[in-house]
Amino acid sequence: MRKIFSSRTVVLLIIGFLVVVGLITGSNWFAKRTNTPPFFQRVVNDLTGGIAKVISIPTNAVGNRANSLANLLNTFSENKALKSKLDGYAQNKVKLQTVEEENQSLKKQLQLKNTLTDYQTISAVTISRSPTTWNSQLVIDKGAKSGLKKGMPVLGDSGIIGLITEVNTVNSKVSLISDTSEDTNHIAITVKDSAGDTNGILTDYDADKKLLVMGSVANQATMNKGDMVVTSGLGGLVPAGLLVGKIADVTTDSYGLSKKIYIEPASDLSKITSVLVAKSNVES
């Protein structure tokens, strides 16, 4: 058989092995004397550290991206929760404001009720008001069963707002003083001025200005901005002395032949949630 290793090869292998052992032994002895890792350990450590550094770069990048994404999702969730809370606060604020307005309106109605010594009053609540007839009519939750009759005056929180024009068993239709239709029963009114009273009727309603109009007033009539306007009782439709509002402006008609009076309603006609129906004690 052919020899696998020659004598020279064996000798070289033995010498190489002894050199490696010697280097390891010397390295360990040197490391103990100098408190530094052995040479081969340093080589291995350097290689391991380099590989770890190379691997850590993409790993750290992925980790940072993952943390950023997690933070973004947390921020989004917190933002959504905060918005939900803010919406709840806004809704509660609106509810509180609505309740406060209704409370103020009821207080004014109570004060108004105390001044109506010649009338019995029936409290009612608005149950229907169509946007198409907003300035002309509404429906309340009291009817013939509660003693209501056609023609009875209806008051808001401070003054008259209209008349009962249709009575059903448990509800009634109210024609507002802002109704401009031709078949509306125009209310007779009186302007209270220090120089004397001036009688007239409500003839129109300016929806843009939200003011009632008293037309066909003689030029010589004396009246001023701020004068009080009440029902006159003339015509027999509405009893006298119910507050209508106060004069907001005094102008002349397009021909300059008569005055045109703009009246600010005593009650806000755009916000009618509860009313008082006035019933004369004489009638009752």
Side-chain angles (χ1 to χ4, degrees), residues 78-222:
E78 291 176 359
N79 189 40
K80 186 176 181 180
L82 289 173
K83 283 185 176 180
S84 178
K85 288 183 178 180
L86 286 176
D87 291 340
Y89 292 148
Q91 185 62 38
N92 289 334
K93 184 177 180 180
V94 171
K95 289 182 179 179
L96 179 60
Q97 184 176 356
T98 302
V99 171
E100 288 178 347
E101 289 177 353
E102 291 179 352
N103 189 37
Q104 292 297 325
S105 178
L106 291 173
K107 284 182 177 180
K108 289 181 179 180
Q109 276 193 5
L110 182 59
Q111 295 173 355
L112 177 63
K113 183 176 181 179
N114 292 334
T115 65
L116 299 173
T117 56
D118 295 333
Y119 302 90
Q120 290 182 353
T121 56
I122 302 171
S123 298
V125 175
T126 301
I127 58 174
S128 175
R129 192 174 185 183
S130 172
T132 58
T133 57
W134 189 264
N135 290 327
S136 59
Q137 65 184 32
L138 54 81
V139 178
I140 58 176
D141 66 344
K142 295 292 173 64
K145 190 175 181 180
S146 301
L148 270 61
K149 294 181 180 180
K150 184 176 180 179
M152 285 183 173
V154 182
L155 299 97
D157 55 13
S158 300
I160 188 170
I161 62 167
L163 302 174
I164 299 288
T165 54
E166 183 181 299
V167 180
N168 303 305
T169 305
V170 293
N171 59 64
S172 299
K173 183 181 293 184
V174 178
S175 179
L176 300 174
I177 56 177
S178 54
D179 188 356
T180 57
S181 58
E182 293 181 359
D183 57 348
T184 303
N185 292 320
H186 297 297
I187 298 175
I189 58 176
T190 296
V191 178
K192 295 291 186 180
D193 185 78
S194 58
D197 298 346
T198 302
N199 293 322
I201 59 173
L202 292 177
T203 58
D204 201 359
Y205 177 73
D206 191 319
D208 294 330
K209 296 180 179 180
K210 296 183 179 180
L211 297 175
L212 301 167
V213 178
M214 175 183 180
S216 302
V217 179
N219 274 329
Q220 62 269 24
T222 303

